[in-house]
Amino acid sequence: MNRALGVIALCGSMGVLLNACTKTDGPAPSAEKVSADAAFQKKLQEQLLDAKPGSVIEIPAGTYHLTSGLTLRGDGVTVRGAGMEKTILSFKGQVTGPEGMLVYGNGFTIENLTIEDSKGDGLKINDGDTITVRKVKVQWTGGPKVSNGAYGIYPVKTRNVLIEDSVAIGASDAGIYVGQSNGVIVRRSRAEGNVAGIEIENTVNADVYDNVATNNTGGILVFNMPNLSQPGHSTRVYKNKVEKNNLGNFAAKGTAVASVPAGSGIVINSNSRVEIFDNDVIDNQTANVIISSYHSTGYFTEKGVAAGYDPYPKAIYVYGNRFKGGGDAPDGFDLKALKIAMYGLTGHLPDVLWDGYVDTKLMVKGVLPPEHRICIQKDAAVLNADGPNKYKNPSKEDAPFRCELAKLPPVTIAQLAAQS
Amino acid sequence: MMLTLATRPLLAAACALVLAACTQSQPPVSFIAEGNPEKLSDWHLMAVSGGKLNLNKDVLPYDLNTPLFTDYAHKLRTVWMPKGQSAVYQADTTFDFPVGTIISKTFYYPKGGDGRTVLATTGNGNNSNGGAKDGDRLDLASMRLIETRLLVKRAGGWIALPYVWNADQTEAVLSRTGDQIPLEVLHEDKRSNKLTYVVPNVNQCASCHVADVKSRQFEPIGPKARHLNRDYTYEGVSTNQLEYLAKVGYLSGLPANAATAAPRNADWSDSKLAVDARARAYLDINCAHCHNDKGAANTTALHLNMGAPANLHLGLCKPPVAAGAGTGGRNYDIAPGKPDDSIMLYRLASAETGIMMPELGRGSAHKEGVALIRAWIAAMKEGCRNES
C-alpha cells in the first residue's frame, strides 16, 4: 500500500498551476458592475470591522465579485445571505486573501450564502467557540484542479462546531475539514468533487451523520496528523451515504490527502475510538472502508514526527453498515496488482482494507488488548494488505476482527443544547 | 562637578529635542484617544513642507536589523510618546509601551525617474537606505509615498489605522478597509514588474499584529530589543538606537551596555555574517508573527521565531499540515540540503495568492531573501531518512 498510496496524485506540477491561474472564464463584467462590487466590498468589510456582539450582517441576493478576502475579528457576529443560491460571493478575481472569508471569533454564525473560487481556503474559522455554519456552499467552479483552494469549510482549533445543510465542491484538499477541534457535528451536508469530501482531523468528539459524500477521491476521512498540539479521538460516522468516491486524486503532492487512493469510501488514518455504523457505502472502487496507519502514507520520517505521536488506528468499530459494490478497480499499481493476484481480473477487494500496521508494543501474547482492537461487522470481509512487509503477503483474515467495542456517547454541543 | 555629570544625559536629550524643534514648526503631536481620524495630518506626526516630509518634534525614527519584506518598499518608522512617559524594556518581547504611544510606518519608494515606475533597490528595506540623508525627513522629489500605517495605544489597547497617500503627496487619508494600488517596480537589472500593492484592511493588520491568538492582543512587532539593537544616525551622529531611546526618555529599564547586553538579530543582508544567523533573523521578522507556538499559524506546528529550536518544528523533515497547493509537490517544509525539495522555499518564491508565504503583505517575491533561504537550506547536512 505504501507505493500504491505514493504513486497517485502527482498532479501538483507547476505547469498545471500556472495554466490554471492565468485562465479567466466568461466575459468581463461591465465597468459599472466592477465599481458597484468594489463599493459593496468596502461596505461589507466595514460592517465586518464594526461588528459588535449581536451584530447581524445581512447580505442581499446577488453575485458579488470581490478582490480581497473578507476578515472578521470579533465575537457574537452573524453573517447571513439571502440563500445559498441567491447570495454569491465570488473570489475569482481575488488579489489578496488568501481565504474567501477568515474569521477569528466566538459565537460566530454564517448562513444562507455561497463563497466561491477563493485563491486559498473558502471559509476559515480559526480558534473560536460556538461556531455555526448553516446552508453555506463553498465551491470552486472550474472542476477539480490542484490550484483550487485547499479547504472549503474549515474550522480549526475550534470548540462547539455545528456544520449543517451545507455544501462543499472542488476543494483540492478537503471540502468540509474540521481540524484540531473539540465537540463537532457535521450533518445533512453534501461534499462532492473534492479530494477529501469530509475530513475530521486531530479532533476530539465529532459526530458526522446524514451527509452525502460522492464523487470525491475519498468520501469521509478521520485522520490524525503528527506534530500537532492535539491528537484526535472519538468520532462517530453514521447514517451517511458514501457513494462512488472515485475521482482521480488532484491534491498537491506532499499533502496528507495526496496519499488517499481514488475510490476510497471511508478512511481512518492513525485515529482512535472511531465508530462507523448505519452508513450506505457504495461503489467506492478501491475499498468502501480503509483503515490505515501514518506508516503507510509515505511521509513517515525519522526526524519529522514528534515523539509521542501514535500512528496506529485503534479502537475502530465498524458495524451495521450497508456495503455495496466497490473494490473492483483500485487505484495505484500495487493495489491493482494485489487485486488481480488475489481476486482475479473480475474480482474485487473486500469492503474493508487494512494496511496491516499494528502497535506491537501493546500486544499481549500476540494479540491486542480488547480496547485497542479493530472490530468489523460480521458480513464484511477484511483484507490485511501486509504493509509492514512491503505488501508481500496480503491475507484475508476475518476472524480476528469479529469483536465488539463499547459504543461512544453522542456529541453534545452548546448550539444544539440551546435548541432542545 | 557631580551635578554636571548627573545632568549631562538630560541636557543632551533636551538639546536634541531643541535642535529638532528649530527645524520645524508643526503643531504638537496629538494623541487622539477615540474615533478614527480621517487624515494622517490630524495626528501631527509628520507634515509635508518645502518638498519634504518632515517628522514632528519628538517623533523619533528608527530602523530594524532585519525588516519585513514588503515588495521592496522602504519604510520610515517612528515612535512618539506623551511627555514623561516611557516604554519598559523587555529582553525578548515587544516593549511595554504606555497609553498614548503612536508608532508609525511610512512605506515609500525611490521614484524611477520616468514619472511612472518606482525603484526596487536591493538594500534591506530600512529607511536609512532609502536615500533620506537626514534620517528624519524624506525628499518628495525623489520619493513616492504609498501609505502610512499607525499603531496607536489607547486605553483599550493597540489599534491599527492605515492611511493612503494621495497622488500629490500632500495628505494621506484613512482607509480602514484597505486599498489596492497598481505599481510598476523597476529592478536594478532594468527588468520591471507590475504588481498590485495591497494596503491591508484593519482586520488584516491583526493577521500579523496578533502574535497570540488566544489572548487576541494586538502588538507592535518591530520594537523588540533584538530588532532595534543597531545604530541609527541621529543629529548626524551614529548612535545605538536602544541607547538613544533611553537617552531621550522613551525607554526605561535598559540594561547597561545595551549594545552588547541586549539580544541582536543579524542584518539579513550583511554577507559578512553567518548564513544561519541571517536566515533565522529573516524568518523571525517575516514569519514568526504567525509561526510561533501561540500564533495564528500554530495550526501548522511550524515555529519560525528566533530562539525556536532547530528541530521538526522549524520545518526540518516536517510534512505539511494545511499547505494545499502550497506544497509545490514537495514533501517537507525543509528538506535539509535540498532547497528545491523544500516547501518553504517554494512558498517564499511564489507571488501567487494562496501559495505564497507570508500570505499577506506582498505581491512579488523577494529575490534576495529567497536566495538567502536557499543558501541556508543548501548548507544543511543531514537528510530526512524516509521510512520507505
Side-chain angles (χ1 to χ4, degrees):
Chain A
M1 202 146 124
N2 193 353
R3 300 260 162 59
L5 296 181
V7 289
I8 49 169
L10 299 176
C11 42
S13 75
M14 290 205 32
V16 173
L17 280 176
L18 288 172
N19 287 336
C21 292
T22 51
K23 206 181 281 173
T24 50
D25 305 340
S30 68
E32 288 82 6
K33 175 66 177 154
V34 168
S35 132
D37 282 358
F40 166 84
Q41 172 172 310
K42 186 168 189 289
K43 185 184 153 218
L44 179 56
Q45 184 56 59
E46 265 169 7
Q47 288 176 295
L48 292 169
L49 291 176
D50 295 332
K52 300 275 180 294
S55 292
V56 178
I57 298 169
E58 305 259 10
I59 308 177
T63 298
Y64 308 96
H65 296 275
L66 308 184
T67 58
S68 174
L70 298 165
T71 50
L72 168 65
R73 287 171 185 271
D75 296 337
V77 179
T78 295
V79 175
R80 180 182 296 146
M84 196 191 276
E85 306 299 335
K86 291 181 179 148
T87 296
I88 294 161
L89 306 177
S90 168
F91 291 89
K92 193 165 267 187
Q94 185 170 20
V95 173
T96 176
E99 299 86 2
M101 186 184 283
L102 174 63
V103 178
Y104 287 84
N106 303 311
F108 170 67
T109 297
I110 181 168
E111 56 193 9
N112 303 335
L113 55 79
T114 288
I115 291 170
E116 65 185 33
D117 295 324
S118 56
K119 299 288 186 203
D121 307 319
L123 169 63
K124 180 174 180 181
I125 303 160
N126 193 342
D127 198 81
D129 197 332
T130 318
I131 305 299
T132 302
V133 179
R134 179 182 294 121
K135 296 183 184 171
V136 170
K137 185 197 281 185
V138 175
Q139 66 176 344
W140 285 268
T141 60
K145 290 182 202 158
V146 69
S147 58
N148 291 352
Y151 304 124
I153 297 168
Y154 176 23
V156 61
K157 292 213 166 186
T158 47
R159 297 156 296 284
N160 292 301
V161 180
L162 175 62
I163 299 171
E164 61 183 8
D165 304 306
S166 291
V167 179
I169 299 170
S172 67
D173 197 303
I176 297 174
Y177 174 96
V178 184
Q180 302 171 58
S181 292
N182 289 63
V184 175
I185 291 176
V186 179
R187 64 179 185 180
R188 300 194 304 259
S189 294
R190 185 162 60 90
E192 63 178 71
N194 310 285
V195 175
I198 299 170
E199 182 170 355
I200 306 295
E201 187 177 280
N202 293 69
T203 285
V204 177
N205 292 334
D207 275 353
V208 180
Y209 62 92
D210 288 337
N211 301 287
V212 175
T214 185
N215 193 35
N216 306 286
T217 301
I220 299 178
L221 279 55
V222 184
F223 275 33
N224 262 352
M225 294 283 288
N227 309 328
L228 302 179
S229 54
Q230 168 180 301
H233 61 79
S234 302
T235 292
R236 303 193 309 162
V237 177
Y238 62 99
K239 289 193 200 164
N240 301 285
K241 189 170 185 184
V242 184
E243 186 176 19
K244 291 183 183 152
N245 292 288
N246 301 321
L247 183 63
N249 194 318
F250 60 99
K253 184 175 165 262
T255 59
V257 296
S259 70
V260 174
S264 302
I266 299 172
V267 185
I268 299 164
N269 190 274
S270 313
N271 211 296
S272 66
R273 280 185 262 166
V274 182
E275 224 169 86
I276 297 170
F277 61 97
D278 206 6
N279 299 285
D280 290 288
V281 194
I282 303 163
D283 292 340
N284 300 287
Q285 290 176 332
T286 289
N288 282 330
V289 174
I290 296 175
I291 300 170
S292 59
S293 153
Y294 191 70
H295 285 295
S296 69
T297 59
Y299 297 135
F300 204 112
T301 69
E302 199 178 317
K303 285 200 225 160
V305 173
Y309 172 67
D310 184 354
Y312 301 100
K314 281 176 185 159
I316 311 299
Y317 195 12
V318 180
Y319 63 94
N321 299 284
R322 292 162 297 280
F323 296 122
K324 208 177 130 196
D328 52 327
D331 185 21
F333 175 78
D334 283 7
L335 284 177
K336 273 190 179 63
L338 176 67
K339 191 214 86 161
I340 293 167
M342 290 189 74
Y343 302 93
L345 271 173
T346 55
H348 62 88
L349 296 179
D351 286 317
V352 181
L353 180 62
W354 176 46
D355 67 2
Y357 284 90
V358 64
D359 191 349
T360 50
K361 288 192 304 298
L362 286 182
M363 283 182 154
V364 181
K365 292 179 185 165
V367 290
L368 281 177
E371 69 270 22
H372 294 311
R373 284 187 191 159
I374 297 172
C375 297
I376 311 286
Q377 66 190 57
K378 287 195 170 48
D379 54 342
V382 184
L383 180 69
N384 175 352
D386 194 31
N389 296 310
K390 309 275 178 210
Y391 311 93
K392 277 181 197 139
N393 298 302
S395 60
K396 215 166 128 333
E397 41 181 338
D398 300 336
F401 300 96
R402 302 305 185 217
C403 52
E404 290 187 0
L405 291 167
K407 290 179 185 172
L408 298 169
V411 171
T412 53
I413 60 173
Q415 295 93 314
L416 294 187
Q419 274 177 25
S420 60
Chain B
M1 202 59 182
M2 291 284 286
L3 248 179
T4 316
L5 273 175
T7 50
R8 189 180 286 164
L10 271 178
L11 270 174
C15 292
L17 298 178
V18 168
L19 275 174
C22 291
T23 60
Q24 292 161 26
S25 54
Q26 301 183 35
V29 172
S30 60
F31 164 66
I32 301 167
E34 277 175 48
N36 302 313
E38 263 309 299
K39 296 182 308 228
L40 180 62
S41 59
D42 293 339
W43 297 89
H44 302 297
L45 287 169
M46 54 192 85
V48 174
S49 65
K52 292 188 165 50
L53 179 73
N54 302 292
L55 296 182
N56 204 350
K57 178 171 169 302
D58 301 344
V59 176
L60 196 76
Y62 62 91
D63 275 345
L64 308 184
N65 278 316
T66 290
L68 173 81
F69 172 76
T70 309
D71 288 331
Y72 292 97
H74 294 264
K75 299 166 188 179
L76 172 57
R77 297 176 180 79
T78 73
V79 59
W80 177 87
M81 279 170 241
K83 217 166 231 14
Q85 301 283 314
S86 63
V88 180
Y89 175 84
Q90 316 277 344
D92 297 317
T93 54
T94 299
F95 298 153
D96 186 6
F97 285 93
V99 169
T101 303
I102 307 171
I103 291 175
S104 83
K105 185 155 73 163
T106 298
F107 294 68
Y108 65 95
Y109 290 88
K111 289 176 178 168
D114 53 7
R116 182 170 53 86
T117 57
V118 295
L119 297 181
T121 47
T122 51
N124 76 354
N126 273 330
N127 177 41
S128 14
N129 290 300
K133 70 176 185 303
D134 301 337
D136 62 350
R137 64 188 59 199
L138 294 178
D139 178 6
L140 298 182
S142 58
M143 298 294 160
R144 173 167 171 195
L145 303 177
I146 306 289
E147 57 161 333
T148 297
R149 301 180 192 169
L150 299 191
L151 287 178
V152 179
K153 185 143 188 203
R154 287 175 167 168
W158 291 99
I159 61 152
L161 296 168
Y163 291 87
V164 176
W165 284 90
N166 61 17
D168 297 338
Q169 309 204 113
T170 52
E171 179 66 278
V173 177
L174 182 65
S175 188
R176 292 172 68 226
T177 57
D179 207 346
Q180 298 178 355
I181 299 163
L183 281 185
E184 185 171 350
V185 180
L186 187 61
H187 295 260
E188 284 172 349
D189 61 5
K190 308 291 178 214
R191 272 185 320 110
S192 73
N193 66 296
K194 290 185 178 174
L195 65 90
T196 304
Y197 180 99
V198 175
V199 178
N201 73 48
V202 166
N203 277 344
Q204 286 171 329
C205 294
S207 293
C208 295
H209 285 282
V210 173
D212 177 342
V213 288
K214 280 268 181 282
S215 79
R216 295 205 213 160
Q217 267 194 357
F218 206 102
E219 283 193 341
I221 297 168
K224 295 186 179 90
R226 63 182 183 270
H227 301 310
L228 293 179
N229 189 3
R230 62 173 285 143
D231 291 346
Y232 193 92
T233 302
Y234 296 105
E235 306 142 60
V237 180
S238 183
T239 313
N240 181 277
Q241 291 183 143
L242 291 172
E243 287 169 356
Y244 194 80
L245 280 166
K247 186 171 105 173
V248 300
Y250 274 180
L251 186 59
S252 60
L254 185 68
N257 306 314
T260 48
R264 182 200 293 258
N265 273 9
D267 175 344
W268 75 277
S269 64
D270 184 349
S271 57
K272 293 191 293 298
L273 301 176
V275 70
D276 184 65
R278 294 163 61 206
R280 289 300 298 266
Y282 188 82
L283 297 176
D284 187 42
I285 198 74
N286 282 283
C287 318
H289 42 269
C290 286
H291 283 286
N292 68 78
D293 61 355
K294 294 179 176 139
N298 73 357
T299 55
T300 68
L302 185 66
H303 305 155
L304 303 177
N305 47 305
M306 211 66 192
N311 59 19
L312 68 93
H313 291 298
L314 187 68
L316 304 175
C317 302
K318 180 186 168 297
V321 173
T327 66
R330 304 160 185 211
N331 283 344
Y332 306 113
D333 290 2
I334 292 175
K338 297 177 178 171
D340 290 317
D341 293 345
S342 302
I343 292 169
M344 181 184 282
L345 200 76
Y346 178 72
R347 303 196 82 167
L348 287 172
S350 171
E352 187 80 47
T353 299
I355 291 173
M356 68 176 184
M357 282 287 158
E359 56 186 19
L360 293 173
R362 64 179 181 88
S364 59
H366 185 202
K367 212 174 71 180
E368 299 77 15
V370 170
L372 170 64
I373 299 303
R374 170 180 288 282
W376 178 58
I377 296 175
M380 296 177 180
K381 290 201 172 63
E382 257 190 281
C384 296
R385 270 182 266 171
N386 194 299
E387 213 176 45
S388 59

